[in-house]
Amino acid sequence: AQKVTQAQTEISVVEKEDVTLDCVYETRDTTYYLFWYKQPPSGELVFLIRRNSFDEQNEISGRYSWNFQKSTSSFNFTITASQVVDSAVYFCALSGDRSNDYKLSFGAGTTVTVRA
Amino acid sequence: DAGITQSPRHKVTETGTPVTLRCHQTENHRYMYWYRQDPGHGLRLIHYSYGVKDTDKGEVSDGYSVSRSKTEDFLLTLESATSSQTSVYFCAINRGGKETQYFGPGTRLLVL
């Protein structure tokens, strides 16, 4: 069984502060994929990043960065110099490979509020 | 996403009535999924399809059925709606190497 835990329910920061979202996962699969999705107040789900289990390189995309550590089963997400537009619910998710039909297991989500 | 549409976008219904939600894709993807989103639970998989007429259950399938008679359409049916099925329902497809799911705009369902 796969499980994703996002222990932080809500985070509130002032604009320009950095914010880190924690994600811890459990799986018995050797091959798996980790994701982050953003859900702004408008409600749609926006794909941010995918990482496969064989690629532990950290990634940076603009103000977003991701830290994948297999040793601690974590895939954390940092927003640097936060902006009001970053206010959203962020979901971490995990899927297996084709043998598992790529089904996603989601964490409960972390609500980020960035105050001006 | 322009490639995935859901209908209706909003629906209010009464307990005991049947409800069908439709997911339509224009990109000929094999895999399609139905999730529900509830506070404190994130998104949970209801049913999914890995081809025409090929479907399987997810984590929270009780009270739901699905059908896929053609590649582009995946229907979710609540045979007899209950208040516990009040939720936001998202359809998703695989794209880009099949590992990544992309989501439709969602359907807000209120069962009174």
Side-chain angles (χ1 to χ4, degrees):
Chain A
Q2 298 177 325
K3 184 179 179 181
V4 177
T5 301
Q6 294 181 255
Q8 304 150 306
T9 304
E10 296 183 22
I11 300 175
S12 181
V13 297
V14 176
E15 213 170 14
K16 298 185 182 177
E17 287 185 353
D18 297 347
V19 56
T20 295
L21 310 180
D22 298 332
C23 174
V24 175
Y25 64 91
E26 297 176 28
T27 182
R28 294 181 180 175
D29 293 341
T30 308
T31 301
Y32 55 89
Y33 302 89
L34 293 162
F35 304 83
W36 278 95
Y37 288 86
K38 174 182 180 181
Q39 187 177 43
S42 52
E44 72 271 25
L45 283 158
V46 179
F47 164 72
L48 295 179
I49 189 171
R50 180 188 75 233
R51 262 284 172 265
N52 72 52
S53 51
F54 300 107
D55 182 2
E56 284 194 72
Q57 280 192 331
N58 292 331
E59 179 149 342
I60 298 175
S61 176
R63 297 184 295 104
Y64 294 172
S65 62
W66 292 270
N67 182 6
F68 175 27
Q69 292 194 337
K70 285 181 76 171
S71 61
T72 56
S73 296
S74 65
F75 186 43
N76 297 337
F77 173 30
T78 297
I79 304 171
T80 302
S82 60
Q83 300 176 1
V84 173
V85 293
D86 296 324
S87 296
V89 182
Y90 291 87
F91 293 99
C92 181
L94 165 71
S95 80
D97 60 11
R98 180 177 180 175
S99 65
N100 194 32
D101 292 320
Y102 309 106
K103 294 177 290 185
L104 278 173
S105 297
F106 281 83
T110 299
T111 300
V112 173
T113 302
V114 182
R115 309 185 308 277
Chain B
D1 192 314
I4 314 168
T5 57
Q6 293 184 232
S7 59
R9 294 292 314 279
H10 302 270
K11 186 169 183 66
V12 180
T13 191
E14 294 185 349
T15 298
T17 61
V19 176
T20 295
L21 308 183
R22 179 184 183 231
C23 178
H24 179 77
Q25 59 143 330
T26 59
E27 301 176 351
N28 204 35
H29 294 286
R30 178 183 175 191
Y31 288 91
M32 299 182 75
Y33 308 81
W34 278 107
Y35 295 86
R36 60 178 288 174
Q37 182 180 9
D38 304 291
H41 291 280
L43 281 80
R44 292 177 293 176
L45 181 65
I46 305 171
H47 280 281
Y48 69 100
S49 170
Y50 47 94
V52 173
K53 298 186 179 179
D54 292 323
T55 66
D56 206 347
K57 296 179 180 180
E59 177 187 357
V60 290
S61 60
D62 287 349
Y64 301 95
S65 63
V66 290
S67 65
R68 192 169 178 198
S69 59
K70 45 187 178 178
T71 300
E72 58 266 35
D73 288 326
F74 190 33
L75 304 180
L76 176 71
T77 297
L78 291 64
E79 301 291 347
S80 178
T82 68
S83 58
S84 64
Q85 294 176 312
T86 291
S87 188
V88 180
Y89 292 85
F90 285 97
C91 174
I93 61 169
N94 273 103
R95 183 188 294 164
K98 298 180 182 173
E99 299 93 3
T100 301
Q101 290 185 26
Y102 291 83
F103 289 81
T107 294
R108 289 188 174 274
L109 177 66
L110 174 60
V111 183
L112 300 175

